[in-house]
Tab-separated table of all heavy atoms in Angstrom:
chain	number	residue	atom	x	y	z
A	1	ARG	N	0.832	-1.217	-0.016
A	1	ARG	CA	-0.043	0.012	0.012
A	1	ARG	C	0.948	1.285	0.025
A	1	ARG	O	1.289	1.809	1.095
A	1	ARG	CB	-0.924	-0.049	1.243
A	1	ARG	CG	-2.010	1.106	1.247
A	1	ARG	CD	-2.949	0.952	2.417
A	1	ARG	NE	-3.741	-0.295	2.296
A	1	ARG	CZ	-4.570	-0.698	3.245
A	1	ARG	NH1	-4.642	0.010	4.380
A	1	ARG	NH2	-5.329	-1.763	3.089
A	2	PRO	N	1.223	1.787	-1.230
A	2	PRO	CA	2.171	2.903	-1.288
A	2	PRO	C	1.827	4.087	-0.531
A	2	PRO	O	2.717	4.999	-0.268
A	2	PRO	CB	2.330	3.105	-2.784
A	2	PRO	CG	1.919	1.738	-3.394
A	2	PRO	CD	0.879	1.220	-2.487
A	3	SER	N	0.548	4.325	-0.180
A	3	SER	CA	0.105	5.525	0.523
A	3	SER	C	0.605	5.469	1.958
A	3	SER	O	0.539	6.542	2.648
A	3	SER	CB	-1.359	5.708	0.506
A	3	SER	OG	-1.949	4.559	1.060
A	4	LEU	N	1.054	4.404	2.473
A	4	LEU	CA	1.562	4.335	3.858
A	4	LEU	C	2.890	5.084	4.008
A	4	LEU	O	3.725	5.067	3.035
A	4	LEU	CB	1.672	2.798	4.290
A	4	LEU	CG	0.435	2.061	4.453
A	4	LEU	CD1	0.799	0.585	4.631
A	4	LEU	CD2	-0.460	2.543	5.543
A	5	ARG	N	3.047	5.653	5.099
A	5	ARG	CA	4.406	6.253	5.393
A	5	ARG	C	4.979	5.778	6.833
A	5	ARG	O	5.142	6.542	7.746
A	5	ARG	CB	4.060	7.853	5.542
A	5	ARG	CG	3.656	8.464	4.276
A	5	ARG	CD	4.895	8.493	3.194
A	5	ARG	NE	4.512	9.104	1.957
A	5	ARG	CZ	3.925	8.474	0.964
A	5	ARG	NH1	3.721	7.191	0.953
A	5	ARG	NH2	3.635	9.210	-0.175
A	6	LEU	N	5.198	4.524	6.770
A	6	LEU	CA	5.584	3.895	8.069
A	6	LEU	C	7.157	4.022	8.387
A	6	LEU	O	7.478	4.330	9.513
A	6	LEU	CB	5.241	2.394	7.861
A	6	LEU	CG	3.812	2.034	7.708
A	6	LEU	CD1	3.684	0.514	7.459
A	6	LEU	CD2	2.984	2.424	8.971
A	7	THR	N	7.945	3.954	7.279
A	7	THR	CA	9.427	3.898	7.595
A	7	THR	C	9.767	5.327	7.972
A	7	THR	O	10.827	5.519	8.657
A	7	THR	CB	10.107	3.530	6.384
A	7	THR	OG1	9.789	4.292	5.244
A	7	THR	CG2	9.895	2.037	6.059
A	8	GLU	N	9.089	6.439	7.614
A	8	GLU	CA	9.497	7.751	7.907
A	8	GLU	C	9.452	7.979	9.537
A	8	GLU	O	10.088	8.953	9.920
A	8	GLU	CB	8.523	8.737	7.346
A	8	GLU	CG	8.572	8.844	5.784
A	8	GLU	CD	7.575	9.744	5.200
A	8	GLU	OE1	6.800	10.309	5.942
A	8	GLU	OE2	7.528	9.824	3.962
A	9	GLN	N	8.753	7.222	10.187
A	9	GLN	CA	8.594	7.309	11.661
A	9	GLN	C	9.928	6.799	12.331
A	9	GLN	O	9.959	6.958	13.596
A	9	GLN	CB	7.397	6.583	12.105
A	9	GLN	CG	6.081	7.069	11.535
A	9	GLN	CD	4.925	6.211	11.935
A	9	GLN	OE1	4.695	5.906	13.158
A	9	GLN	NE2	4.104	5.824	11.042
A	10	PHE	N	10.863	6.136	11.648
A	10	PHE	CA	11.956	5.491	12.250
A	10	PHE	C	13.254	5.865	11.546
A	10	PHE	O	13.945	5.069	11.040
A	10	PHE	CB	11.766	4.027	12.195
A	10	PHE	CG	10.450	3.566	12.896
A	10	PHE	CD1	9.287	3.287	12.164
A	10	PHE	CD2	10.423	3.405	14.209
A	10	PHE	CE1	8.201	2.910	12.805
A	10	PHE	CE2	9.333	3.041	14.972
A	10	PHE	CZ	8.130	2.772	14.210
A	11	PRO	N	13.703	7.098	11.838
A	11	PRO	CA	14.885	7.604	11.172
A	11	PRO	C	16.175	7.091	11.788
A	11	PRO	O	17.240	6.963	11.213
A	11	PRO	CB	14.854	9.109	11.228
A	11	PRO	CG	13.935	9.373	12.461
A	11	PRO	CD	12.943	8.247	12.534
A	12	LEU	N	16.098	6.618	13.096
A	12	LEU	CA	17.291	6.208	13.836
A	12	LEU	C	17.148	4.737	14.311
A	12	LEU	O	18.046	4.032	14.120
A	12	LEU	CB	17.447	7.116	15.041
A	12	LEU	CG	17.704	8.643	14.877
A	12	LEU	CD1	17.785	9.443	16.144
A	12	LEU	CD2	18.961	8.706	13.968
A	13	THR	N	16.040	4.312	14.930
A	13	THR	CA	15.914	3.032	15.408
A	13	THR	C	14.584	2.472	14.997
A	13	THR	O	13.578	3.182	14.926
A	13	THR	CB	16.177	2.925	16.950
A	13	THR	OG1	15.120	3.743	17.629
A	13	THR	CG2	17.495	3.374	17.386
A	14	ALA	N	14.537	1.222	14.921
A	14	ALA	CA	13.223	0.427	14.597
A	14	ALA	C	13.034	-0.680	15.412
A	14	ALA	O	13.373	-1.878	15.098
A	14	ALA	CB	13.157	0.172	13.109
A	15	ILE	N	12.617	-0.504	16.678
A	15	ILE	CA	12.344	-1.596	17.663
A	15	ILE	C	11.069	-2.185	17.476
A	15	ILE	O	10.015	-1.529	17.073
A	15	ILE	CB	12.378	-0.920	19.197
A	15	ILE	CG1	13.544	-0.098	19.373
A	15	ILE	CG2	12.150	-2.156	20.132
A	15	ILE	CD1	14.878	-0.984	19.251
A	16	PRO	N	11.088	-3.559	17.360
A	16	PRO	CA	9.817	-4.274	16.833
A	16	PRO	C	8.632	-3.785	17.650
A	16	PRO	O	7.481	-3.678	16.888
A	16	PRO	CB	10.115	-5.674	17.252
A	16	PRO	CG	11.615	-5.883	16.993
A	16	PRO	CD	12.167	-4.503	17.441
A	17	THR	N	8.551	-3.523	18.964
A	17	THR	CA	7.327	-3.155	19.556
A	17	THR	C	6.889	-1.791	19.077
A	17	THR	O	5.624	-1.574	18.984
A	17	THR	CB	7.641	-3.028	21.137
A	17	THR	OG1	8.862	-2.354	21.360
A	17	THR	CG2	7.825	-4.460	21.685
A	18	ASP	N	7.812	-0.938	18.770
A	18	ASP	CA	7.465	0.403	18.264
A	18	ASP	C	6.854	0.271	16.808
A	18	ASP	O	5.892	1.051	16.479
A	18	ASP	CB	8.586	1.316	18.192
A	18	ASP	CG	9.038	1.661	19.660
A	18	ASP	OD1	8.332	1.631	20.596
A	18	ASP	OD2	10.219	1.983	19.767
A	19	THR	N	7.384	-0.599	16.007
A	19	THR	CA	6.877	-0.809	14.647
A	19	THR	C	5.473	-1.417	14.587
A	19	THR	O	4.696	-1.060	13.818
A	19	THR	CB	7.899	-1.588	13.746
A	19	THR	OG1	8.039	-2.973	14.335
A	19	THR	CG2	9.208	-0.963	13.648
A	20	VAL	N	5.256	-2.191	15.590
A	20	VAL	CA	3.931	-2.863	15.713
A	20	VAL	C	2.930	-1.785	16.051
A	20	VAL	O	1.838	-1.805	15.538
A	20	VAL	CB	3.894	-3.999	16.862
A	20	VAL	CG1	2.530	-4.462	17.109
A	20	VAL	CG2	4.788	-5.192	16.278
A	21	LYS	N	3.256	-0.877	17.020
A	21	LYS	CA	2.443	0.239	17.374
A	21	LYS	C	2.181	1.149	16.181
A	21	LYS	O	1.075	1.609	15.947
A	21	LYS	CB	3.080	0.925	18.535
A	21	LYS	CG	2.159	2.154	18.976
A	21	LYS	CD	2.877	2.877	20.145
A	21	LYS	CE	1.939	4.025	20.675
A	21	LYS	NZ	1.579	5.006	19.763
A	22	ALA	N	3.142	1.322	15.323
A	22	ALA	CA	2.978	2.169	14.148
A	22	ALA	C	2.048	1.605	13.214
A	22	ALA	O	1.261	2.287	12.512
A	22	ALA	CB	4.454	2.428	13.496
A	23	VAL	N	2.120	0.270	13.008
A	23	VAL	CA	1.169	-0.504	12.078
A	23	VAL	C	-0.332	-0.281	12.668
A	23	VAL	O	-1.193	-0.126	11.869
A	23	VAL	CB	1.611	-1.959	11.986
A	23	VAL	CG1	0.534	-2.644	11.275
A	23	VAL	CG2	2.889	-2.043	11.141
A	24	LYS	N	-0.479	-0.497	13.986
A	24	LYS	CA	-1.759	-0.319	14.578
A	24	LYS	C	-2.259	1.074	14.427
A	24	LYS	O	-3.372	1.301	14.109
A	24	LYS	CB	-1.675	-0.750	15.986
A	24	LYS	CG	-1.416	-2.192	16.345
A	24	LYS	CD	-1.213	-2.496	17.856
A	24	LYS	CE	-2.535	-2.218	18.632
A	24	LYS	NZ	-2.180	-2.538	20.010
A	25	ASP	N	-1.364	2.037	14.656
A	25	ASP	CA	-1.815	3.471	14.641
A	25	ASP	C	-2.238	3.897	13.134
A	25	ASP	O	-2.973	4.816	12.930
A	25	ASP	CB	-0.659	4.352	15.000
A	25	ASP	CG	-0.396	4.308	16.543
A	25	ASP	OD1	-1.268	3.787	17.195
A	25	ASP	OD2	0.605	4.783	17.079
A	26	ALA	N	-1.654	3.118	12.101
A	26	ALA	CA	-1.899	3.445	10.763
A	26	ALA	C	-3.273	2.765	10.351
A	26	ALA	O	-3.665	2.932	9.157
A	26	ALA	CB	-0.874	2.853	9.844
A	27	GLY	N	-3.915	2.196	11.233
A	27	GLY	CA	-5.202	1.591	10.945
A	27	GLY	C	-5.177	0.404	10.105
A	27	GLY	O	-6.247	0.015	9.484
A	28	LEU	N	-4.070	-0.471	10.209
A	28	LEU	CA	-3.985	-1.587	9.324
A	28	LEU	C	-4.504	-2.883	10.070
A	28	LEU	O	-4.770	-3.863	9.443
A	28	LEU	CB	-2.477	-1.856	9.051
A	28	LEU	CG	-1.841	-0.894	7.960
A	28	LEU	CD1	-0.397	-1.055	7.950
A	28	LEU	CD2	-2.481	-1.373	6.575
A	29	VAL	N	-4.664	-2.801	11.437
A	29	VAL	CA	-5.004	-4.014	12.143
A	29	VAL	C	-6.505	-4.113	12.275
A	29	VAL	O	-7.137	-3.190	12.751
A	29	VAL	CB	-4.340	-4.068	13.574
A	29	VAL	CG1	-4.749	-5.199	14.404
A	29	VAL	CG2	-2.801	-3.929	13.402
A	30	GLU	N	-6.924	-5.340	11.986
A	30	GLU	CA	-8.422	-5.604	12.054
A	30	GLU	C	-8.657	-6.577	13.261
A	30	GLU	O	-9.841	-6.751	13.633
A	30	GLU	CB	-9.066	-5.961	10.777
A	30	GLU	CG	-8.527	-7.262	10.177
A	30	GLU	CD	-9.247	-7.591	8.778
A	30	GLU	OE1	-9.694	-6.630	8.132
A	30	GLU	OE2	-9.361	-8.780	8.515
A	31	ARG	N	-7.758	-7.396	13.523
A	31	ARG	CA	-7.932	-8.405	14.635
A	31	ARG	C	-6.581	-8.927	15.235
A	31	ARG	O	-5.570	-8.832	14.536
A	31	ARG	CB	-8.745	-9.594	13.981
A	31	ARG	CG	-9.306	-10.571	15.073
A	31	ARG	CD	-9.982	-11.701	14.518
A	31	ARG	NE	-9.059	-12.769	14.169
A	31	ARG	CZ	-9.200	-13.643	13.247
A	31	ARG	NH1	-10.224	-13.656	12.457
A	31	ARG	NH2	-8.263	-14.687	13.023
A	32	ILE	N	-6.638	-9.221	16.464
A	32	ILE	CA	-5.497	-9.675	17.181
A	32	ILE	C	-5.641	-11.076	17.794
A	32	ILE	O	-6.695	-11.173	18.547
A	32	ILE	CB	-4.948	-8.664	18.236
A	32	ILE	CG1	-4.744	-7.316	17.737
A	32	ILE	CG2	-3.691	-9.235	18.982
A	32	ILE	CD1	-4.455	-6.166	18.676
A	33	ASP	N	-4.830	-11.996	17.569
A	33	ASP	CA	-5.003	-13.243	18.127
A	33	ASP	C	-3.622	-13.546	18.935
A	33	ASP	O	-2.550	-13.078	18.553
A	33	ASP	CB	-5.164	-14.384	17.110
A	33	ASP	CG	-6.451	-14.244	16.412
A	33	ASP	OD1	-7.537	-14.068	17.126
A	33	ASP	OD2	-6.451	-14.375	15.165
A	34	TYR	N	-3.768	-14.273	20.062
A	34	TYR	CA	-2.598	-14.587	20.935
A	34	TYR	C	-2.380	-16.135	20.963
A	34	TYR	O	-3.236	-16.914	21.062
A	34	TYR	CB	-2.922	-14.034	22.341
A	34	TYR	CG	-2.033	-14.575	23.455
A	34	TYR	CD1	-0.695	-14.142	23.382
A	34	TYR	CD2	-2.397	-15.347	24.374
A	34	TYR	CE1	0.176	-14.482	24.367
A	34	TYR	CE2	-1.597	-15.743	25.504
A	34	TYR	CZ	-0.197	-15.399	25.358
A	34	TYR	OH	0.546	-15.797	26.428
A	35	ARG	N	-1.083	-16.452	20.787
A	35	ARG	CA	-0.675	-17.850	20.819
A	35	ARG	C	0.249	-17.954	21.973
A	35	ARG	O	1.497	-17.566	21.844
A	35	ARG	CB	-0.059	-18.377	19.617
A	35	ARG	CG	-1.025	-18.606	18.422
A	35	ARG	CD	-0.249	-19.116	17.198
A	35	ARG	NE	-1.111	-19.177	16.095
A	35	ARG	CZ	-1.754	-20.256	15.670
A	35	ARG	NH1	-1.566	-21.473	16.407
A	35	ARG	NH2	-2.513	-20.370	14.695
A	36	PRO	N	0.086	-18.594	23.192
A	36	PRO	CA	1.042	-18.724	24.244
A	36	PRO	C	2.184	-19.682	23.901
A	36	PRO	O	1.881	-20.541	23.104
A	36	PRO	CB	0.120	-19.146	25.499
A	36	PRO	CG	-0.942	-19.867	24.841
A	36	PRO	CD	-1.303	-19.093	23.420
A	37	SER	N	3.216	-19.548	24.529
A	37	SER	CA	4.333	-20.447	24.351
A	37	SER	C	3.889	-21.851	24.952
A	37	SER	O	3.066	-21.937	25.735
A	37	SER	CB	5.582	-19.968	24.931
A	37	SER	OG	5.437	-19.899	26.480
A	38	ARG	N	4.652	-22.950	24.550
A	38	ARG	CA	4.482	-24.181	25.085
A	38	ARG	C	4.582	-24.188	26.692
A	38	ARG	O	3.869	-24.701	27.422
A	38	ARG	CB	5.477	-25.288	24.605
A	38	ARG	CG	5.147	-25.934	23.395
A	38	ARG	CD	3.803	-26.588	23.375
A	38	ARG	NE	3.632	-27.106	21.918
A	38	ARG	CZ	2.415	-27.081	21.337
A	38	ARG	NH1	1.352	-26.743	22.018
A	38	ARG	NH2	2.341	-27.442	20.158
A	39	GLU	N	5.598	-23.432	27.176
A	39	GLU	CA	5.920	-23.422	28.577
A	39	GLU	C	4.768	-22.746	29.292
A	39	GLU	O	4.257	-23.185	30.361
A	39	GLU	CB	7.188	-22.541	28.890
A	39	GLU	CG	7.544	-22.468	30.275
A	39	GLU	CD	8.786	-21.537	30.576
A	39	GLU	OE1	9.029	-20.662	29.708
A	39	GLU	OE2	9.537	-21.902	31.512
A	40	ARG	N	4.181	-21.641	28.649
A	40	ARG	CA	3.126	-20.972	29.339
A	40	ARG	C	1.887	-21.879	29.348
A	40	ARG	O	1.082	-21.883	30.322
A	40	ARG	CB	2.806	-19.636	28.660
A	40	ARG	CG	1.970	-18.717	29.428
A	40	ARG	CD	1.806	-17.345	28.769
A	40	ARG	NE	3.052	-16.699	28.693
A	40	ARG	CZ	3.584	-15.903	29.578
A	40	ARG	NH1	2.958	-15.800	30.867
A	40	ARG	NH2	4.714	-15.279	29.417
A	41	GLU	N	1.668	-22.590	28.322
A	41	GLU	CA	0.488	-23.503	28.293
A	41	GLU	C	0.618	-24.541	29.354
A	41	GLU	O	-0.438	-24.857	30.068
A	41	GLU	CB	0.465	-24.191	26.957
A	41	GLU	CG	-0.185	-23.353	25.794
A	41	GLU	CD	-0.326	-24.109	24.556
A	41	GLU	OE1	0.401	-25.145	24.364
A	41	GLU	OE2	-1.055	-23.681	23.688
A	42	LEU	N	1.778	-25.098	29.531
A	42	LEU	CA	1.988	-26.167	30.620
A	42	LEU	C	1.758	-25.568	31.966
A	42	LEU	O	1.258	-26.283	32.797
A	42	LEU	CB	3.384	-26.722	30.402
A	42	LEU	CG	3.518	-27.549	29.155
A	42	LEU	CD1	5.002	-28.077	29.006
A	42	LEU	CD2	2.699	-28.799	29.130
A	43	LEU	N	2.366	-24.360	32.301
A	43	LEU	CA	2.246	-23.696	33.501
A	43	LEU	C	0.726	-23.395	33.830
A	43	LEU	O	0.269	-23.588	34.885
A	43	LEU	CB	3.071	-22.509	33.492
A	43	LEU	CG	4.532	-22.604	33.533
A	43	LEU	CD1	5.102	-21.178	33.538
A	43	LEU	CD2	4.910	-23.298	34.810
């Protein structure tokens, strides 16, 4: 989607948590699903 301007927000660092937030703020996310780790499932 060329109209997006996502990379402009990260001139110095691009930490994954921040980029996920940028994608959400851009209105791209329509649903979120969670998959726990095996360890968390067992606990």
Side-chain angles (χ1 to χ4, degrees):
R1 187 176 291 175
S3 61
L4 294 171
R5 294 292 182 268
L6 298 171
T7 56
E8 294 176 359
Q9 304 174 44
F10 302 96
L12 296 177
T13 60
I15 304 302
T17 51
D18 293 336
T19 60
V20 170
K21 183 178 184 299
V23 170
K24 293 173 65 177
D25 290 345
L28 284 167
V29 177
E30 62 180 28
R31 197 182 79 207
I32 304 174
D33 295 315
Y34 169 65
R35 289 181 184 266
S37 67
R38 271 308 170 217
E39 181 182 34
R40 195 175 298 276
E41 282 185 341
L42 292 174
L43 290 174

